[in-house]
Amino acid sequence: MLKNALLYITRKKTKFIIILLMFIVILVSIYSCLVINSFNEKLEQNIYNASNSSIILEANNGDTFKLDIAKNISSIRGVEKYNYEYEKIAKLEKGDVIKENQKIEVNDIPEDYKNVIKIYGVTDSKVINEFVSEAFNIVKGRHIEKNDVNKIVIHEQLAKKNGYDIGSKILVKKLNNNNSKDQANGENNNIEYEVVGIFSGKKEEKYTGLTSDYTENMAFADYSSVKEKEEKVNRIVYFVSDPKKIDKVIEDIKKTGINTEEISISKNTKGFDDTISSITSMKGIILIITYSVVLGSIIILSMILILWIRERIHEIGILLSIGVRRYKIMAQFILELTYISIPSIIITIIVRK
């Protein structure tokens, strides 16, 4: 049967070439659909990883809250990482802030509040919304990282005005955020920071009359140096490993006993939702095309086999009359298709590469 199958396809060269080409077209079509589907799967996974889907904890009154209220949340299953955020106004010592084009002028400002910047104490600056959305971009150096101590990232305009560069030292004095003339305590609030990064960009600004209102006077520092003795935060952002399970993570957070009357819990999945809908639609279309190609291939191959067998009724009759078993005749037909499929698979692999 092996020999007979090989002899048949070598004798019927035209039929062999036609069926070979059909096999190649079918295999390439199916392979292309599978490749596109695999690409979509990887793209979806990359979107999961880069979507920055998060759960945000903030005080309902817009003020700060104690960090120990939420310390157990980071161990909840599904929480991948977190970022503490705490805002602080600080006077820039031995340097000048950006003051041009002030939108609001306030006359009765204490001396300490006339040359101020706003420092955001964070655990990891690269996950801040402004950096994720690329409203801000690091142009030199690096981001604030979890284990940093007394490190700071400043705006390029502030750096240019004062001649700061990576490694420069900046002396600031932490102040109350309420513009009070009295300090929070009698402690020394002076901190010397080392510049580890310089960023560019602009964000929407709210004007109160202080120089800290301007984007150019913003800075990001490690949370450990900005926080007060009693650890407080303005907000905590928890990033989830799977955006699809974010509601389950929120339920688990509420079970920790957190007071939702004082602290609001919200989710941020906009980046994920906007992108994943288009990917899902594309996956559906590719799946329909794949099923259509497979079904069409089955129909075409079935018709070819039926026509092939009908053309060989006389040959089958002769084989049966000389005592050849039916299963051997069927085995020969299958072997013929196998011989044709082998070069078609090889050609498909070459085309794929």
Side-chain angles (χ1 to χ4, degrees):
M1 291 301 106
L2 289 169
K3 183 180 177 181
N4 289 344
L6 186 60
L7 288 172
Y8 181 82
I9 62 172
T10 52
R11 286 200 308 269
K12 305 286 185 177
K13 290 182 177 64
T14 304
K15 187 180 289 186
F16 167 72
I17 292 169
I18 292 170
I19 296 175
L20 176 65
L21 291 173
M22 292 187 70
F23 264 63
I24 292 170
V25 170
I26 290 168
L27 288 173
V28 169
S29 300
I30 293 173
Y31 176 76
S32 299
C33 291
L34 292 175
V35 167
I36 295 171
N37 194 52
S38 175
F39 173 77
N40 280 334
E41 292 288 344
K42 290 179 181 178
L43 183 60
E44 186 176 359
Q45 188 59 47
N46 289 336
I47 290 171
Y48 284 162
N49 297 334
S51 64
N52 223 35
S53 296
S54 57
I55 299 167
I56 302 168
L57 269 63
E58 294 179 293
N60 288 331
N61 59 7
D63 200 357
T64 60
F65 61 92
K66 294 179 181 179
L67 182 60
D68 57 7
I69 293 174
K71 275 193 171 178
N72 295 328
I73 295 176
S74 58
S75 60
I76 291 176
R77 186 175 182 181
V79 174
E80 189 174 39
K81 54 187 177 181
Y82 60 87
N83 190 43
Y84 300 150
E85 297 181 20
Y86 184 58
E87 300 175 18
K88 197 69 180 173
I89 293 173
K91 181 180 180 181
L92 183 64
E93 306 278 15
K94 299 178 183 178
D96 294 314
V97 299
I98 305 297
K99 298 177 183 177
E100 290 83 6
N101 302 318
Q102 281 189 257
K103 303 291 190 298
I104 297 176
E105 293 286 347
V106 179
N107 295 323
D108 189 23
I109 297 180
E111 190 63 32
D112 273 346
Y113 290 86
K114 290 184 178 179
N115 195 53
V116 292
I117 62 175
K118 182 174 283 187
I119 300 178
Y120 290 85
V122 298
T123 311
D124 185 353
S125 63
K126 69 175 174 290
V127 297
I128 298 293
N129 283 336
E130 286 81 4
F131 284 108
V132 173
S133 64
E134 296 186 349
F136 292 165
N137 290 286
I138 292 288
V139 294
K140 201 170 185 180
R142 62 172 177 84
H143 280 283
I144 296 296
E145 298 173 353
K146 187 175 180 180
N147 296 321
D148 282 338
V149 178
N150 292 357
K151 308 295 183 185
I152 197 167
V153 173
I154 61 173
H155 196 277
E156 62 180 353
Q157 294 301 322
L158 186 65
K160 184 178 179 181
K161 184 167 186 175
N162 293 281
Y164 297 142
D165 203 347
I166 303 301
S168 296
K169 303 294 183 180
I170 296 179
L171 183 64
V172 302
K173 179 182 180 181
K174 290 196 296 181
L175 305 171
N176 288 330
N177 291 352
N178 58 5
N179 301 2
S180 169
K181 293 182 181 180
D182 300 321
Q183 290 302 307
N185 49 56
E187 295 178 4
N188 181 10
N189 287 317
N190 288 342
I191 302 175
E192 186 178 63
Y193 285 106
E194 178 188 349
V195 177
V196 295
I198 297 172
F199 72 94
S200 64
K202 192 80 173 175
K203 66 172 286 187
E204 185 179 347
E205 298 168 341
K206 295 180 181 179
Y207 303 107
T208 64
L210 297 178
T211 56
S212 57
D213 298 333
Y214 296 95
T215 304
E216 292 82 359
N217 295 327
M218 282 178 56
F220 298 91
D222 55 282
Y223 172 76
S224 61
S225 65
V226 180
K227 69 179 178 66
E228 304 295 339
K229 227 176 181 183
E230 185 180 33
E231 294 185 324
K232 292 183 178 181
V233 289
N234 291 93
R235 66 192 322 219
I236 306 176
V237 183
Y238 293 99
F239 299 92
V240 296
S241 55
D242 187 351
K244 293 179 179 178
K245 297 179 180 178
I246 193 167
D247 291 325
K248 174 67 169 61
V249 177
I250 290 175
E251 288 177 12
D252 292 339
I253 289 174
K254 290 178 178 178
K255 289 177 184 177
T256 62
I258 196 165
N259 187 350
T260 53
E261 292 183 3
E262 295 181 2
I263 299 174
S264 66
I265 303 173
S266 59
K267 62 180 177 180
N268 175 25
T269 57
K270 190 176 184 303
F272 173 76
D273 295 335
D274 290 348
T275 314
I276 204 65
S277 57
S278 58
I279 297 296
T280 304
S281 300
M282 190 183 296
K283 280 177 68 178
I285 293 169
I286 296 301
L287 201 60
I288 291 170
I289 293 172
T290 303
Y291 287 150
S292 301
V293 169
V294 171
L295 182 62
S297 302
I298 292 171
I299 293 170
I300 291 169
L301 287 174
S302 299
M303 291 177 66
I304 290 171
L305 289 174
I306 290 168
L307 292 172
W308 200 335
I309 292 171
R310 288 186 65 181
E311 286 180 0
R312 301 172 68 180
I313 290 174
H314 184 66
E315 178 188 344
I316 293 169
I318 293 173
L319 291 172
L320 289 171
S321 66
I322 60 175
V324 178
R325 300 287 183 87
R326 287 187 176 85
Y327 75 87
K328 286 190 176 182
I329 298 172
M330 291 302 298
Q332 179 180 326
F333 292 161
I334 293 169
L335 284 168
E336 288 167 5
L337 290 174
T338 303
Y339 287 147
I340 297 171
S341 65
I342 289 171
S344 65
I345 290 170
I346 293 170
I347 293 169
T348 303
I349 292 170
I350 295 170
V351 170
R352 180 193 69 178
K353 291 181 178 178

